[in-house]
Each structure stands twice: as structure tokens, then as C-alpha cells.
């Protein structure tokens, strides 16, 4: 027992200030890494918006671009082969396994390979999100600093890894609160003050860096012009039920697609990226602006209700266009994610939710069931419901959408639809998707 005088000198001794400073340092580093990651991907996707129309107008160059695609596949395979299990997919199942003591990661080789490999495949226009890789890179940075710079105890190492997770998501989508909620709701399933304080410090520091890079505008700014009238709240029930059913279908499809790729023995696993890399070429030639995550497509759906163009495809074009894009995005998102390459699912899920919301909104409006001004409301609500159900993380989905779109006007409608979708998925037996993927990858 320590002498009483020691307690009198330092009656409130705690490691929290030191841990918070360490978390902020880690957050700043992660913010820098992720900001560069975001910047390069965004510029590459915008270049593809120019490149593919050019290739369509000059088909003689398509064969050369195809050869370049094979080169990228070979390069990616060389990068990921030594750490294939650690690098495939979003990285979130691996992060969960590491924190649960089921897996050990050599942090630096995996970190730089995730960064470079993720840039290469995402920059080719595959339907992948940046959020998962950013979360894993955040955890790896936290681990690296804990082991080599701060020389922390095992407990503090875990806390800094958790702080890195929150910072990774925060920097990826400029949403610090969502980073903390994701950590608590999806990864650790606990709410410990020390863990949350360090995570919030890291998330805020990472977001500060992204503000320097990208400004204060929310990364998916979707201003809501009108509030949804109370007499239209019945539509939220419909959105929630269908989103829950579709979320269950998404989970089953993702798991089955992973299984199908595991049976593709004719191509070594590290070369599975050739499948989506070749398939993306005809998609890019036909619909260049659906490539990537894709923030652009969501923005177009939100700000341009004239996507309902009846004069081009006939009277049913108002429903046919979003349905076709939904199926295209769903199928190719599965192929992109399950092909053993570094890439996430967050943004592809949000795009699918936006397309689903477009279908809902156009049906409701054409039937005269909701005002035309509330087209955008249904899109945002649908995005939250779909993401919250698939992740089985309602709080994360609501906070994430609130921070990403830059408005709190939709909180109550989102709560209603998200929890209905969550309930439907639970009744169908759906599990948190990353937990299921972790088990499928061989972690216990």
C-alpha cells in the first residue's frame, strides 16, 4: 500500500491526460494518411469520368487500357500476396479479430500495403468504399505507435488501437461522432469512459486534418429543403420494412459471393482482382458516372430528380432507371468486395440505399402519396435504414448520416425507419455483417 502522503500530493492521479494526448497525436497522423488516401481516390475517379467517354469515342485505345488493367492486377497481386488474409476486403473483420485476441498483425507491412493496394483498385473505378480500409489503417497506426513510440502496456495498446479505429472512420467521412459510435456499437460492444474519451480525441484530431484538406463542407452535403409532413410518416414504415428485407438479402448475397470466389480455383486468390478489373471496363464505357464509391451518384440522385426521364425510356422510366442502377451496383459491389482485394462496403451500401430511396420516393410521388418536395427526405431516410440494418448498428447509421449530410432535420424519421429495418433483419435472423465475415474468414 502506498504511503498516505503520496495520495495527498496527487489525489487525482490518472493516466487519462497522457492517453488523450497520445490519442490526439495518433489522430493527427491518421488524418494525414486518410486525407491523402481520399484525395488521390477522388482525383482518380474524376479522371475516369473523362477517360471512359474518351475511350468510348476512340475504341482503338480500349485494348491498350485493357493491357494496363492486367498490369494493375499483377501489381496488386504482388502487393497483397504476402499478407492476403490481412489485406482482403474492408479490414474490419480483421480488426475485430485482433482486438478479440484471435489474430496478430504485423502492422507496418499491412499498413503500407493496404494504403497502396487500396489506392490502386479504388482508383480503377471498382465499386468499393474507402471507409473500411481507413478504419483498418487507423487501427494499425494506433498499434504501431503503441508498440514502437509510446511503449504502452497491453491495455493502453488496445485503447490506442480503438482510438485509431474511430479516427480512421472520422477522417474517411469527416464524421468524428460516427467514428466513436462505430467503435462502441460495431467493434467493442462496450461503453467505457476511458475508451470513448481517447477515441473522441483521436476522431476530432483526424477530422481537423481533413478540414484543412477538404474544408468544412460535409463530405456528402445533402441539404433538406422541407421537413417530412407528419401525415406522411406512414411512408417511413414502408421504407423500414423493405430496407430490412433488402438488408437481409444483401447479407446473404455477400456471404454467398465470398463462397463462390473461394471456389474459383482456376485463378489463384491473389489474382481474383482481374474479375472486377475487367468487368468494370464495359460498365465505365456505358455509365462512367456510376464508378467508384460513389459520392457523385448519390449527389446526382439527390439534386436531380429529373433522373426520372420518361421521354427517353417510356412511361416507366421513372422506376426503370433507378432499378437498373440498383441491380448494377448491387451485383458489381458484391464482385468488387469479394475478390480478395482491399476495399470497403460503407459507401456502396449508402449508394444502394440512395437508389432504393429514389425508387420509394418516385413511387410515392407518382401515386400522389407524398409531396414532391419530400423526394430528398425519403432518399436520406432510406440510406440510413439500409446501412443501419446491414451493420446492425442503428446509432452509427443515424449519427453517420446526420454528420455526412450536414443537417439534423431528419433525425426522427431516420430513427423510425432505421429501427424498423433493424427489427426486420433481427426477426429474419440476420447478424452483424462483419461478425459473420470474421467467422467466414476463419477467425473464431
Amino acid at each position: 500500500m502506498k504511503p498516505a502522503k503520496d495520495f495527498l500530493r496527487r489525489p487525482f492521479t490518472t493516466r487519462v491526460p497522457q492517453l488523450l494526448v497520445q490519442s490526439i497525436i495518433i489522430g493527427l497522423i491518421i488524418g494525414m494518411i486518410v486525407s491523402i488516401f481520399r484525395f488521390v481516390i477522388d482525383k482518380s475517379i474524376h479522371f475516369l469520368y473523362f477517360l471512359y467517354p474518351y475511350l468510348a469515342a476512340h475504341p482503338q485505345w480500349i485494348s491498350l487500357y485493357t493491357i494496363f488493367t492486367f498490369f494493375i492486377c499483377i501489381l496488386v497481386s504482388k502487393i497483397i500476396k504476402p499478407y492476403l488474409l490481412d489485406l482482403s476486403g474492408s479490414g474490419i473483420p480483421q480488426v475485430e479479430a485482433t482486438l478479440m485476441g484471435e489474430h496478430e498483425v504485423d502492422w507496418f507491412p499491412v499498413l503500407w500495403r493496404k494504403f497502396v493496394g487500396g489506392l490502386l483498385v479504388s482508383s480503377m473505378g471498382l465499386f468499393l468504399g474507402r471507409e473500411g480500409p481507413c478504419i483498418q489503417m487507423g487501427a494499425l497506426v494506433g498499434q504501431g505507435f503503441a508498440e514502437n513510440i509510446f511503449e504502452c502496456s497491453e491495455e493502453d495498446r488496445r485503447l490506442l488501437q480503438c482510438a485509431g479505429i474511430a479516427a480512421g472512420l472520422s477522417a474517411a467521412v469527416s464524421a468524428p461522432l460516427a467514428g466513436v459510435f462505430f467503435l462502441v456499437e460495431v467493434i467493442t460492444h462496450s461503453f467505457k469512459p476511458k475508451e470513448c474519451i481517447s477515441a473522441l480525441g483521436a476522431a476530432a484530431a483526424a477530422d481537423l486534418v481533413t478540414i484543412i484538406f477538404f474544408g468544412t463542407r460535409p463530405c456528402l452535403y445533402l441539404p433538406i429543403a422541407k421537413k417530412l409532413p407528419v401525415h406522411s410518416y406512414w411512408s417511413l414504415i414502408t421504407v423500414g420494412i423493405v430496407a430490412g428485407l433488402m438488408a437481409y438479402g444483401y447479407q446473404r448475397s455477400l456471404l454467398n459471393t465470398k463462397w463462390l470466389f473461394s471456389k474459383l480455383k482456376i485463378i489463384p486468390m491473389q489474382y481474383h482482382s482481374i474479375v472486377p478489373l475487367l468487368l468494370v471496363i464495359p460498365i465505365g464505357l456505358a455509365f462512367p458516372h456510376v464508378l467508384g464509391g460513389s459520392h457523385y451518384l448519390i449527389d446526382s440522385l439527390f439534386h436531380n430528380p429529373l433522373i426520372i426521364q420518361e421521354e427517353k425510356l417510356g412511361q416507366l422510366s421513372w422506376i426503370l432507371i433507378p432499378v437498373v442502377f440498383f441491380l448494377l451496383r448491387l451485383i458489381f459491389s458484391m464482385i468488387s468486395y469479394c475478390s480478395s482485394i482491399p476495399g470497403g462496403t460503407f459507401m456502396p451500401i449508402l449508394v444502394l440505399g440512395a437508389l432504393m430511396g429514389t425508387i420509394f420516393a418516385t413511387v410515392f410521388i407518382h401515386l400522389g402519396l407524398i409531396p414532391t418536395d419530400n423526394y430528398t427526405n425519403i432518399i436520406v431516410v432510406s440510406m440510413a435504414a439500409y446501412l443501419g440494418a446491414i451493420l446492425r448498428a442503428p446509432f452509427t447509421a443515424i449519427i453517420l448520416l446526420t454528420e455526412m449530410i450536414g443537417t439534423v432535420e431528419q433525425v426522427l424519421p431516420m430513427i423510425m425507419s432505421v429501427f424498423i429495418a433493424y427489427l426486420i433483419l433481427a426477426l429474419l435472423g440476420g447478424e452483424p455483417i462483419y461478425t459473420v465475415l470474421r467467422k467466414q474468414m476463419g477467425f473464431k
Side-chain angles (χ1 to χ4, degrees), residues 39 45 65 69 97 100 170 219 232 305 327 415 419 427 437 439:
F39 180 81
I45 296 299
Y65 186 73
T69 298
M100 296 176 69
S170 171
C219 78
S232 296
L327 293 175
I415 290 173
F419 277 97
L427 291 173
L437 288 171
K439 295 176 181 177

Side-chain angles (χ1 to χ4, degrees), residues 383-396:
M383 291 166 64
Y386 197 52
L387 179 66
I390 290 174
L391 300 183
R392 286 197 65 176
F395 291 98
T396 299

Side-chain angles (χ1 to χ4, degrees), residues 276-290:
L277 284 172
L278 288 180
L279 289 177
V280 78
I281 295 175
I283 295 174
L285 292 172
F287 308 109
H289 288 93
V290 306

Side-chain angles (χ1 to χ4, degrees), residues 231-254:
H231 62 76
S232 296
Y233 269 40
W234 64 268
S235 61
L236 303 175
I237 300 174
T238 305
V239 171
I241 292 172
V242 177
L245 294 172
M246 297 298 289
Y248 182 76
Y250 180 94
Q251 288 192 350
R252 304 312 303 172
S253 299
L254 189 66

Side-chain angles (χ1 to χ4, degrees), residues 106-186:
D106 193 359
W107 73 275
F108 185 71
V110 176
L111 174 63
W112 78 258
R113 284 176 166 83
K114 193 76 173 190
F115 183 89
V116 177
L119 280 182
L120 288 174
V121 294
S122 295
S123 297
M124 295 297 288
L126 302 190
F127 292 3
L128 296 169
R130 64 185 180 228
E131 299 77 18
C134 292
I135 290 168
Q136 185 182 20
M137 288 190 290
L140 293 170
V141 171
Q143 176 184 338
F145 268 73
E147 292 176 351
N148 299 281
I149 306 298
F150 301 136
E151 298 181 354
C152 298
S153 64
E154 187 63 30
E155 178 188 359
D156 285 358
R157 170 192 164 182
R158 185 180 185 279
L159 289 172
L160 292 179
Q161 283 178 290
C162 290
I165 292 168
L169 181 56
S170 171
V173 293
S174 301
L177 289 178
V180 178
F181 273 88
F182 175 83
L183 171 69
V184 171
E185 195 173 22
V186 178

Side-chain angles (χ1 to χ4, degrees), residues 70-80 120:
F70 275 99
F71 171 75
I72 292 296
C73 173
I74 295 171
L75 182 59
V76 170
S77 71
K78 297 296 183 183
I79 291 172
I80 68 175
L120 288 174

Side-chain angles (χ1 to χ4, degrees), residues 34-52:
V34 172
S35 294
I36 296 171
F37 193 74
R38 282 177 58 176
F39 180 81
V40 175
I41 291 176
D42 288 347
K43 293 300 181 182
S44 299
I45 296 299
H46 279 89
F47 175 70
L48 294 181
Y49 295 159
F50 160 80
L51 176 64
Y52 272 108

Side-chain angles (χ1 to χ4, degrees), residues 14 22 26-27 30 40 51 64 103 176 218 250 259 282 308 326 343 346 348-349 358 394 400 430 439:
T14 175
Q22 292 172 345
I26 288 172
I30 294 169
V40 175
L51 176 64
L64 183 62
H103 185 57
Y250 180 94
W259 179 81
I308 307 165
F326 181 88
F346 263 56
I349 289 172
T358 301
L400 180 71
K439 295 176 181 177

